[in-house]
Amino acid sequence: MRIVCVGGGPAALYFAVSAKRRDAAHEITVLEKDPRGATYGWGVVCHDGLLDRLYRNDRESARAIRARSYLWQEQEVHLRGEEVGYLPGYGFSVPRAGLLEVLANRAADLGIDVRYESPVPETALADGTFESGELAADLVVVADGAHSRLRDHVADDFGTTLSTGRNPYIWLGTEKVFASFTFAFEETHAGWIWCYGYPTSAGVSTFIVECSPETFTGLGLDVLPHEDGIALLEKIFTHTLDGQALISSSRGRPSPWLRFLEVRNETWRHDNVVLLGDAAHTTHFTMGQGTRFAMTDAIMLAQALYEQPSLSPALGWFDRKGREALRTAQAAARTGAAWFEHVDRYLDRDAVEFAYALSHRQGLQPPWRYQWHIATQLTAVRKGRRLAHSGQRWWRAKKRGEQPFVPRGLLRAG
């Protein structure tokens, strides 16, 4: 089968790898408009469940991804720079540039034609069929992101709905290396502003800042020169950053303030065209699941092409099962995003109670969970829980066949 993938992100590259692994006869081309190595953003989050699936699907790329990942343990919720509440959990962060490098190298090893600086020209979209020029193929995989030009060209065919979130946010980096996934909420004269920090690579962490529109304008972040706005954020979060500076440039350009774009489609396929990753769906960044869903899409579509007798039933199966699997997650993401858009309703609490509200923002919980949450604020209980998580990580790594079994970052994080 001749397959053309538009977009060089994790969804397209991992689909190309997964499909080629299942059938080496596929002729697969990936078209990416940007130069090789160019990427926006910093680190992406993954968990053991995704690593398990990646190892089952393609061990070579999974090992390389895991080798570039960094461990964070526990979650800390800082309130007003003084109070701290703790939440359980651990995860791994991978530099986005490193993830793309792994997938591009793996694609090249498998004989996939990845073409950088190759945008799809307008002439290829002229008739709306995606059947001419660079897009002449048995299957066209549209994976060019939430702002997909190809999808929007025929948005009615997919039933595309786009909605923009209320809160502004900015994606930054810092040389402060976080051992835990850190939330920090600070009160200013203009209202509350908060951040999410987690390790990305050696010596660098991802640092996302979010606030309400009222706080954004009240602090003057809508009119301040970029450098002055970053300096203001460094001042507000000086305690969280331990005095470290923020890295505010991505690909040589200032990181912009954004509003989250939620993408939904009534169907992910039309004729021989299928949507993948953010072009098909987005979930709010506070869930930390965007890359997981994109790579899961890739595996599902590759498996459908392998198992189904022809293209049409394969795309039909992928469309049904993919949207069914994502429906609950998108609903939870919308609930979580709405919680952050009205977070000031919960900020009259102490850090422990606030941390509990944050952790269960997506649904009701039985009363005993709150009592357990209170218990887990004790140092001895937290230490026991961390040891249990270390054992769980070791066991799952052993089952995957990781070598060595001690995850990177464990020696630093304790």
Side-chain angles (χ1 to χ4, degrees):
M1 184 182 298
R2 167 138 173 78
I3 303 171
V4 173
C5 303
V6 180
L13 287 172
Y14 200 61
F15 163 73
V17 168
S18 301
K20 192 74 169 178
R21 284 264 294 151
R22 285 162 173 78
D23 189 343
H26 288 318
E27 182 184 344
I28 305 176
T29 302
V30 177
L31 304 176
E32 167 55 48
K33 63 182 177 62
D34 289 328
R36 178 163 182 160
T39 184
Y40 296 97
W42 302 91
V44 297
V45 174
C46 65
H47 296 272
D48 266 328
L50 177 59
L51 286 173
D52 289 345
R53 193 161 193 180
L54 297 184
Y55 267 83
R56 288 194 299 268
N57 185 64
D58 179 46
R59 183 175 180 78
E60 292 302 315
S61 59
R63 289 183 65 184
I65 291 168
R66 181 64 188 91
R68 287 164 172 77
S69 66
Y70 289 78
L71 170 70
W72 52 264
Q73 295 190 89
E74 221 171 34
Q75 301 173 74
E76 297 182 3
V77 182
H78 296 249
L79 200 57
R80 304 179 187 89
E82 300 174 354
E83 306 171 33
V84 183
Y86 298 96
L87 296 172
Y90 67 89
F92 307 93
S93 304
V94 184
R96 182 174 172 83
L99 174 63
L100 294 179
E101 179 185 13
V102 166
L103 297 180
N105 289 341
R106 182 62 172 146
D109 290 344
L110 294 171
I112 295 163
D113 182 11
V114 183
R115 303 177 188 175
Y116 293 97
E117 300 182 78
S118 298
V120 176
E122 290 295 335
T123 54
L125 306 178
D127 59 4
T129 63
F130 301 160
E131 293 179 354
S132 61
E134 291 83 351
L135 298 182
D138 301 305
L139 172 63
V140 177
V141 178
V142 175
D144 54 345
H147 297 275
S148 171
R149 184 165 63 99
L150 271 71
R151 179 203 62 217
D152 290 348
H153 190 73
V154 288
D156 289 345
D157 293 329
F158 295 107
T160 304
T161 301
L162 306 176
S163 56
T164 304
R166 182 172 185 269
N167 287 354
Y169 71 95
I170 187 169
W171 208 284
L172 303 167
T174 176
E175 293 183 358
K176 161 68 183 291
V177 178
F178 293 94
S180 302
F181 194 109
T182 300
F183 302 86
F185 293 77
E186 298 289 350
E187 189 173 19
T188 72
H189 71 274
W192 288 89
I193 187 168
W194 57 94
C195 68
Y196 316 81
Y198 54 91
T200 298
S201 59
V204 176
S205 292
T206 296
F207 196 84
I208 304 169
V209 178
E210 182 182 3
C211 62
S212 70
E214 294 78 13
T215 300
F216 184 67
T217 56
L219 290 174
L221 292 169
D222 57 329
V223 295
L224 282 173
H226 181 76
E227 296 80 1
D228 294 344
I230 297 302
L232 177 59
L233 296 180
E234 289 172 345
K235 182 178 180 181
I236 291 172
F237 293 107
T238 185
H239 179 78
T240 304
L241 292 167
D242 290 336
Q244 294 282 356
L246 289 171
I247 305 169
S248 59
S249 177
S250 178
R251 294 182 54 190
R253 288 185 284 179
S255 298
W257 283 92
L258 305 167
R259 284 180 169 81
F260 181 75
L261 181 67
E262 184 183 28
V263 176
R264 284 178 284 171
N265 289 279
E266 293 178 6
T267 179
W268 295 353
R269 59 83 55 99
H270 174 68
D271 294 335
N272 70 326
V273 181
V274 64
L275 303 178
L276 208 63
D278 284 352
H281 53 77
T282 57
T283 53
H284 198 263
F285 61 87
T286 53
M287 281 192 74
Q289 300 286 356
T291 301
R292 172 199 160 198
F293 291 137
M295 298 180 83
T296 299
D297 282 358
I299 296 171
M300 288 180 65
L301 179 56
Q303 189 65 21
L305 295 175
Y306 179 71
E307 291 182 346
Q308 298 297 323
S310 61
L311 180 62
S312 184
L315 297 186
W317 181 91
F318 170 72
D319 183 39
R320 291 191 307 275
K321 295 298 182 180
R323 287 187 294 109
E324 285 174 10
L326 197 70
R327 188 173 294 116
T328 300
Q330 278 200 309
R334 287 193 292 272
T335 301
W339 190 91
F340 280 101
E341 289 177 351
H342 302 284
V343 71
D344 55 318
R345 298 174 180 174
Y346 308 94
L347 283 162
D348 58 346
R349 311 176 187 191
D350 63 33
V352 173
E353 286 208 18
F354 177 74
Y356 181 78
L358 186 155
S359 67
H360 297 299
R361 62 189 180 275
Q362 293 163 347
L364 299 175
Q365 299 295 328
W368 65 264
R369 286 193 180 275
Y370 179 71
Q371 299 304 321
W372 173 239
H373 172 71
I374 295 299
T376 57
Q377 304 306 299
L378 299 174
T379 301
V381 176
R382 288 176 50 220
K383 183 177 180 180
R385 186 175 58 191
R386 285 165 67 96
L387 288 172
H389 285 163
S390 294
Q392 176 179 316
R393 286 196 308 275
W394 183 90
W395 175 243
R396 295 188 73 160
K398 182 177 181 180
K399 287 200 300 181
R400 291 192 293 262
E402 283 186 20
Q403 293 290 342
F405 297 147
V406 178
R408 176 185 281 194
L410 183 58
L411 298 179
R412 295 194 308 273

